[in-house]
Amino acid sequence: MNTYRSTTDNSPRQHGAAQLSTAIVERRGDPSYVDADIVIPVYNEEHTLETCIKKLSAYLTAQSASANAFSWNIIIADNASTDRTWEVACTLCEQYPVVLRAVRIGRKGRGAALKNAWSESLARVVSYMDVDLSTDIQCTGTLIGSLLAGGADVAIGSRLLQQSDVTRSTKREFISRTYNLMLRTYLGVKFHDAQCGFKALTARAADALLPQVQDNEWFFDTELLVLAERRGMQIYEIPVTWVEDSDSRVNIPDTVSKDISGMRRMRQDIRKEGNGTIANSYAHLGWGAQSQHELRGSLIELANVKVSA
C-alpha cells in the first residue's frame, strides 16, 4: 500500500509514552503501527454505531488503491454508555478484526474518551470524527494526509470557512458563530471553528498536548486548539461539507455554560503564565466578569428558544 511520507519525524511513539492515567476498563483488540488511528467517541449510540462503522470502513477500504492511500485503524471509544453500545462495538470488532478495535472508558465525556484512546495509540496520526458522520467522510484524506505529509501539527475541519458547504438550523449557526467569535476576541485565537467534530494531530503533537488538557468533556476540543496555537503549532483548517444531525444528543445550554467556564479558566491560566497581552489587548471590548456573565445568560436563553431552520 502506498502511503504519504512525512518530511518531519511523525513516526509512531512507543506504547504508553503519553503517560496519562488510563480510564480504560475493557478493550477489544490492541494498538497497531499504522499511519492513522480514527477514533469514534460514542455514548449511548447502540442504534447508530453499526451504520457509522460500516460506512466509514467501506469508504476507507475503497480508497486503499489510490496513490495517496494510508494505513488505518478505526477505534470505537465508548465513554460509559448505559445502553447496548459496548455490546454492539464488540460484535463489530468480531466482524472487522483487522481494522477495528474498541475501548470502554469508565467515565463519561468526549474529552476523556479521546484522551484515553489517543494516549495509547501507536499511529503516526491520531484523529476523530463524530459517530453521526455529519462531516462528509470524503474530507478524511485531506484531514489526515495533510499531517502525514508533514504540512502541519494539527488539522481541523472548519464549517466557518467560505468554501465550506454547511446545512444546519439558524439557531445552531448563530450559536456556533457567536462562540467562535468569543474565542477570537476573548482569547485572541486565530482558528475559525473549535467545535467541528473532525480533527487530527500528529503523534508528536498529541504527546505534547494531551497531558496539558484539563477538560474531559465538550470543551476538550477548544482547549486542545488554544494550547496548540499558543505553543506555536501549525494548525491547518480545511473546508468541509457538513450536515446537522437532527438526532444530536448535545445538551446545548449545559455545553454553552461549560464552554464559557472553560474560556474563563484558560484566560486565567494565560495570565498566570505571565502573559497578559491577550487579555489587555481586548480590555476595550468590555469582556469583564459581568459582561461575560451576561453573555452566558444570553447564549443559554438562545439555546432554549426554538428557531426555524
Side-chain angles (χ1 to χ4, degrees), residues 4-6 10-12 34-36 122-126 148 201-203:
Y4 286 98
R5 292 305 174 193
S6 172
N10 284 340
S11 58
V34 292
D35 288 324
L122 298 175
R124 296 168 59 199
V125 167
V126 294
L148 291 173
L201 299 79
T202 64

Side-chain angles (χ1 to χ4, degrees), residues 33-63:
Y33 289 91
V34 292
D35 288 324
D37 272 348
I38 303 172
V39 176
I40 308 294
V42 290
Y43 174 73
N44 288 353
E45 298 287 354
E46 63 177 343
H47 299 298
T48 58
L49 180 56
E50 182 176 1
T51 299
C52 166
I53 298 303
K54 289 186 173 181
K55 182 177 180 179
L56 180 58
S57 61
Y59 171 77
L60 293 171
T61 299
Q63 302 304 306

Side-chain angles (χ1 to χ4, degrees), residues 175-228:
I175 291 174
S176 177
R177 289 187 178 276
T178 301
Y179 176 70
N180 285 283
L181 175 62
M182 289 169 60
L183 287 175
R184 291 195 294 277
T185 55
Y186 193 59
L187 294 180
V189 303
K190 297 179 181 179
F191 53 83
H192 295 83
D193 188 356
Q195 296 170 308
C196 183
F198 197 70
K199 294 181 174 66
L201 299 79
T202 64
R204 176 182 290 182
D207 276 346
L209 293 173
L210 291 183
Q212 306 303 318
V213 179
Q214 298 182 37
D215 192 82
N216 288 307
E217 299 183 33
W218 292 102
F219 190 69
F220 171 87
D221 294 55
T222 299
E223 185 169 0
L224 184 81
L225 293 180
V226 173
L227 291 173

Side-chain angles (χ1 to χ4, degrees), residues 126-162:
V126 294
S127 65
Y128 93 91
M129 60 185 66
D130 289 336
V131 68
D132 57 20
L133 299 182
S134 292
T135 304
D136 189 344
I137 56 177
Q138 294 189 45
C139 301
T140 305
T142 304
L143 181 81
I144 293 173
S146 61
L147 300 186
L148 291 173
D153 303 292
V154 180
I156 63 174
S158 179
R159 298 161 296 184
L160 300 182
L161 296 178
Q162 186 175 3

Side-chain angles (χ1 to χ4, degrees), residues 93-114:
C93 286
E94 293 176 358
Q95 297 176 12
Y96 300 90
V98 177
V99 297
L100 178 66
R101 61 188 181 88
V103 292
R104 187 163 67 91
I105 316 299
R107 58 166 299 173
K108 284 185 61 176
R110 183 173 70 177
L114 292 175

